[in-house]
């Protein structure tokens, strides 16, 4: 049940951004964008697969809804008092717009203004996020600590544990004091321990760059993981803002007023005072722990890799919190919508306004399966000079390191969201010897690690499977079939099933990961955590594939 102390009056969905997650839930419910599920739903086997069907079932984006589960159980029959919200941040652009407090078409401009005119956070005189404090022995009780919360399994059948997904991971540069807020996954390993993955690709995630500095100092890195807060704060995590940008100040600009923050109880970091739940702790500067497998947004399961080991020092939360989770894995997903509605207008503004390229009508990122970043379409008005077209294509491929492996220019009459029209345009409007340019030395970016790290190019390429790959990161068939039955029993909209709608092996999978996944859905993930804890290794870089290290 939503916190009764949240504002009673449900304001217009565009009356400014909601500054509290539960207020946001009230607004999207008032707008008809939230579905309450009151029957018992298993967080380990049913919750994510059920919501996944609105993405895999052929529903139009406007038909997607946020879900609030008020009767959550786990694989061992435990019932939780805390409800779970999923899809509440960005199941659709309309839901995202409610969180931003503006119409969909104004989202891009809102981001551009906020980045240019940040508003610093202010210290709060009250902290709802610290109404309940769990520390010391309470963290280590068999059913206490992290285990007391209804953390779902995102990809049943493949994931090794429940994961925190709707995270805002706050860290601080030990040299400059600059704060970073990123959305990174965190696997439950014990009641007081998490396995945290921060991207170690070239350039690295902000939190990873901070960890490198703590590693040199031989000091543990303080971290606070926020789960559920004002959407404008949560939205800063996935946006890949400049490394020296204070995301909390950008969030303040989006909100139109300073974000209220409070000092965490056990680490020297500021956290949003109105957050639902905060997990505080320290990340080991040297020892890395096997983490994964976990279904990833690039469309494959991320295989087991060495990542950061976080010792939890405290958990604080509201008296009546709502647990937030996001749907990632195969796109489209909540995660990809959250990026698309902000990335596309930012790319368009870069080409049209910053670089003053004439005739650029639209930038569209291909979302289904390919996860936005790899394929970008730039749409041009008639008569744009060839020089301007090529300047735009190069610029779109270079704005962000992980975006633009394929950049395709199309005319105004081609809808980038219609693949048949795009293929027609490629077949009859492009001469490969004249109209294709291949640029080397591109970062591989976000993708499966089976082939190991390396470089890519901006190019046209045969995209068929050549080598064994990790499984498709969807729940296994039996879980999706059960969820489809549950979907029908709940009287939800008819599904339009499309392939792929369940996970299946593509050759790169070890039997031990089946054991991990089986334990996870049976609520026995702590056994896996004990095993991976014993396998911790020093001298490695985060995301080192476990199978590449001799044990």
């Amino acid at each position: 049940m939503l916190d009764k102390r949240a504002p009673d009056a449900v304001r217009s969905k565009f009356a400014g951004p909601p500054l509290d997650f539960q207020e946001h839930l009230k607004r999207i419910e008032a707008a008809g964008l939230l579905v309450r599920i009151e029957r018992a739903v298993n967080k380990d086997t049913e919750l994510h697969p059920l919501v996944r069907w609105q993405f895999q079932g052929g529903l139009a984006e406007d038909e997607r809804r946020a879900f609030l589960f008020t009767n959550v159980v786990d694989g061992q029959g435990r019932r939780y008092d805390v409800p779970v919200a999923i899809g509440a941040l960005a199941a659709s652009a309309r839901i995202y717009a409610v969180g931003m407090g503006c119409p969909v078409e104004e989202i891009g401009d809102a981001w551009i203004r906020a980045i240019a005119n940040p508003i610093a956070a202010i210290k709060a005189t009250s902290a709802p996020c610290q109404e309940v404090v769990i520390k010391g022995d309470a963290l280590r009780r068999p059913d206490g600590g992290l285990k007391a919360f209804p953390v779902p399994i995102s990809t049943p059948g493949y994931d090794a544990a429940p994961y925190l997904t709707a995270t805002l991971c706050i860290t601080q540069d030990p040299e400059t004091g600059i704060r970073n807020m990123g959305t990174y996954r965190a696997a439950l390993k014990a009641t007081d321990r998490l396995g945290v993955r921060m991207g170690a690709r070239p350039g690295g995630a902000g939190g990873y760059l901070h960890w490198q500095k703590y590693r040199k100092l031989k000091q543990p890195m303080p971290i606070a993981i926020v789960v559920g807060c004002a959407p404008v704060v949560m939205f800063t995590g996935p946006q890949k803002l400049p490394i020296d940008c204070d995301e909390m100040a950008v969030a303040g600009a989006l909100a139109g007023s300073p974000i209220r923050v409070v000092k965490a109880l056990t680490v020297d970091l500021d956290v949003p005072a109105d957050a639902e739940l905060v997990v505080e702790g320290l990340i080991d500067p040297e020892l890395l722990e096997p983490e994964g497998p976990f279904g990833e947004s690039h469309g494959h399961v991320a295989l087991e890799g060495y990542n950061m080991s976080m010792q939890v020092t405290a958990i604080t939360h509201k008296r009546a919190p709502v647990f937030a989770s996001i749907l990632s894995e195969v796109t489209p997903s909540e995660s990809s919508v959250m990026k698309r509605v902000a990335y596309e207008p930012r790319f368009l503004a870069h080409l049209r306004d910053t670089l003053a390229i004439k005739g650029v009508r639209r930038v569209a990122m291909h979302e289904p399966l390919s996860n936005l970043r790899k394929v970008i379409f730039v749409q041009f008005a008639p008569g744009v000079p060839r020089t301007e077209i090529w300047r735009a294509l190069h610029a779109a491929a270079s704005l962000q390191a992980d975006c633009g492996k394929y950049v395709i220019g199309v005319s105004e009459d081609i809808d980038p969201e219609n693949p048949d029209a795009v293929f027609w345009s490629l077949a009859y409007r492009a001469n490969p010897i004249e109209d294709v340019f291949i640029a080397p030395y591109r970062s591989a970016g976000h993708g499966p690690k089976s082939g190991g790290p390396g470089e890519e190019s901006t190019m046209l390429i045969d995209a068929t499977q050549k080598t064994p790959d990790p499984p498709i990161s969807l729940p296994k068939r039996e879980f999706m079939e059960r969820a489809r039955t549950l979907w029908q029993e709940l009287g939800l909209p008819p599904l339009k099933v499309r392939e792929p709608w369940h996970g299946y092996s593509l050759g790169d999978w070890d039997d031990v990961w089946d054991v991990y996944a089986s334990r996870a859905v049976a609520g026995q993930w702590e056994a896996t955590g004990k095993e991976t804890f014993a396998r911790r290794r020093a001298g490695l870089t985060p995301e080192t594939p476990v199978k590449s290290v001799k044990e």
Side-chain angles (χ1 to χ4, degrees):
M1 183 174 292
L2 300 186
D3 191 338
K4 297 296 186 183
R5 295 163 303 146
D8 292 326
V10 179
R11 293 176 288 170
S12 165
K13 65 180 180 179
F14 297 138
L19 300 183
D20 175 273
F21 184 64
Q22 293 190 34
E23 180 188 353
H24 173 64
L25 293 178
K26 286 189 173 186
R27 291 196 195 183
I28 60 176
E29 185 170 31
L33 297 174
L34 182 141
V35 176
R36 285 177 177 264
I37 304 297
E38 297 179 354
R39 65 170 286 174
V41 175
N42 189 325
K43 74 175 185 67
D44 296 330
T45 60
E46 297 174 330
L47 194 151
H48 267 252
L50 178 67
V51 181
R52 167 58 63 183
W53 268 119
Q54 69 177 344
F55 293 91
Q56 299 307 121
L59 298 183
E61 182 175 324
D62 277 353
E63 295 181 83
R64 299 181 203 152
R65 297 292 181 265
F67 283 69
L68 183 66
F69 296 90
T70 59
N71 187 2
V72 181
V73 300
D74 67 11
Q76 296 180 318
R78 177 174 181 169
R79 294 187 177 274
Y80 296 85
D81 294 330
V82 176
V84 175
I86 182 169
L89 292 170
S92 70
R94 291 172 62 199
I95 292 173
Y96 187 102
V98 174
M100 290 284 286
C102 67
V104 172
E105 59 271 18
E106 295 179 12
I107 290 172
D109 288 341
W111 275 105
I112 293 167
R113 289 194 303 270
I115 293 169
N117 303 283
I119 298 176
I122 59 170
K123 293 288 186 179
T125 56
S126 62
C129 71
Q130 294 175 349
E131 289 174 336
V132 178
V133 178
I134 304 170
K135 293 196 301 183
D137 291 341
L139 285 173
R140 293 179 286 275
R141 287 204 305 263
D143 286 326
L146 294 166
K147 203 171 180 181
F149 298 93
V151 185
I153 293 177
S154 296
T155 321
Y158 292 111
D159 288 0
Y163 269 79
L164 305 180
T165 56
T167 66
L168 193 72
C169 298
I170 301 174
T171 59
Q172 198 164 10
D173 189 310
E175 298 172 354
T176 66
I178 292 175
R179 170 174 45 213
N180 181 77
M181 304 196 307
T183 298
Y184 313 125
R185 69 177 187 246
L188 271 61
K189 292 290 188 179
T191 61
D192 64 345
R193 196 172 86 258
L194 291 165
V196 181
R197 183 265 185 187
M198 298 183 181
R201 62 190 178 278
Y208 170 73
L209 298 179
H210 291 173
W211 178 80
Q212 285 184 310
K213 293 185 177 183
Y214 279 100
R215 192 179 202 179
K216 289 180 181 178
L217 295 171
K218 300 187 184 301
Q219 297 175 5
M221 180 174 73
I223 182 171
I225 301 181
V226 178
V227 181
C229 63
V232 290
V233 181
M234 293 296 299
F235 291 157
T236 64
Q239 292 316 311
K240 304 295 186 279
L241 299 175
I243 198 66
D244 58 351
C245 176
D246 183 351
E247 288 98 341
M248 198 77 81
V250 173
L254 290 172
S257 61
I259 300 299
R260 293 171 7 101
V261 297
V262 65
K263 185 176 178 181
L265 296 183
T266 59
V267 291
D268 190 14
L269 295 168
D270 288 338
V271 299
D274 299 298
E276 300 295 309
L277 180 146
V278 180
V279 182
E280 303 176 9
L282 300 169
I283 289 181
D284 194 294
E286 187 61 27
L287 294 175
L288 301 178
E289 178 175 355
E291 175 268 330
F294 176 78
E296 262 288 9
S297 60
H298 49 61
H300 294 272
V301 171
L303 302 181
E304 194 179 21
Y306 278 96
N307 277 311
M308 300 174 186
S309 187
M310 173 183 170
Q311 185 64 48
V312 176
T313 54
I315 301 173
T316 70
H317 62 85
K318 291 180 177 179
R319 288 195 186 92
V322 173
F323 187 89
S325 182
I326 60 171
L327 200 71
S328 188
E329 302 89 43
V330 165
T331 55
S333 68
E334 185 178 7
S335 175
S336 65
V337 172
M338 201 179 303
K339 295 180 180 72
R340 172 174 55 80
V341 296
Y343 279 21
E344 288 182 346
R346 184 158 62 88
F347 271 71
L348 177 60
H350 177 67
L351 302 182
R352 186 185 59 197
D353 304 331
T354 304
L355 300 180
I357 299 173
K358 306 301 182 184
V360 178
R361 289 285 191 254
R362 180 183 176 192
V363 175
M365 305 178 115
H366 188 260
E367 187 175 16
L369 293 179
S370 58
N371 191 24
L372 295 175
R373 291 171 258 205
K374 298 295 186 183
V375 183
I376 299 176
F377 300 102
V378 183
Q379 190 184 61
F380 295 95
V384 176
R386 185 178 176 88
T387 52
E388 289 295 273
I389 290 174
W390 279 102
R391 196 157 70 93
L393 299 182
H394 282 289
S398 58
L399 175 60
Q400 195 163 303
D402 60 348
C403 293
K405 180 178 179 180
Y406 304 98
V407 181
I408 303 169
V410 296
S411 297
E412 199 170 48
D413 64 319
I414 300 297
D415 181 0
E417 295 181 14
N418 181 352
D420 293 332
V422 172
F423 281 124
W424 180 81
S425 184
L426 288 171
Y428 291 98
R429 295 183 179 180
N431 178 1
I433 200 167
E434 294 181 354
D435 298 327
V436 175
F437 179 80
I438 299 175
Y441 310 124
R442 179 172 205 90
S443 166
H446 191 50
K449 299 294 189 291
S450 292
E455 293 178 343
E456 288 187 337
S457 310
T458 299
M459 61 189 297
L460 298 175
I461 193 170
D462 178 1
T464 59
Q465 184 184 0
K466 309 298 191 303
T467 58
D469 284 323
I472 297 294
S473 59
L474 288 168
K476 279 188 176 179
R477 185 183 189 113
E478 59 265 34
F479 300 105
M480 289 301 288
E481 287 179 337
R482 163 60 182 153
R484 180 162 54 181
T485 300
L486 180 58
W487 179 278
Q488 293 167 346
E489 291 173 358
L490 290 167
L492 295 170
L495 298 170
K496 302 170 186 176
V497 179
R498 58 182 180 180
E499 297 287 350
W501 58 269
H502 64 83
Y504 51 87
S505 175
L506 291 173
D508 191 355
W509 186 255
D510 287 350
D511 291 342
V512 68
W513 299 329
D514 273 328
V515 174
Y516 290 176
S518 296
R519 287 175 180 167
V521 298
Q524 298 170 355
W525 48 267
E526 285 172 292
T528 301
K530 290 178 182 177
E531 292 178 8
T532 60
F533 185 80
R535 295 162 59 198
R536 295 195 303 171
R537 298 286 292 271
L540 299 174
T541 299
E543 298 189 75
T544 299
V546 167
K547 62 184 180 180
S548 71
V549 178
K550 293 183 180 180
E551 298 189 37

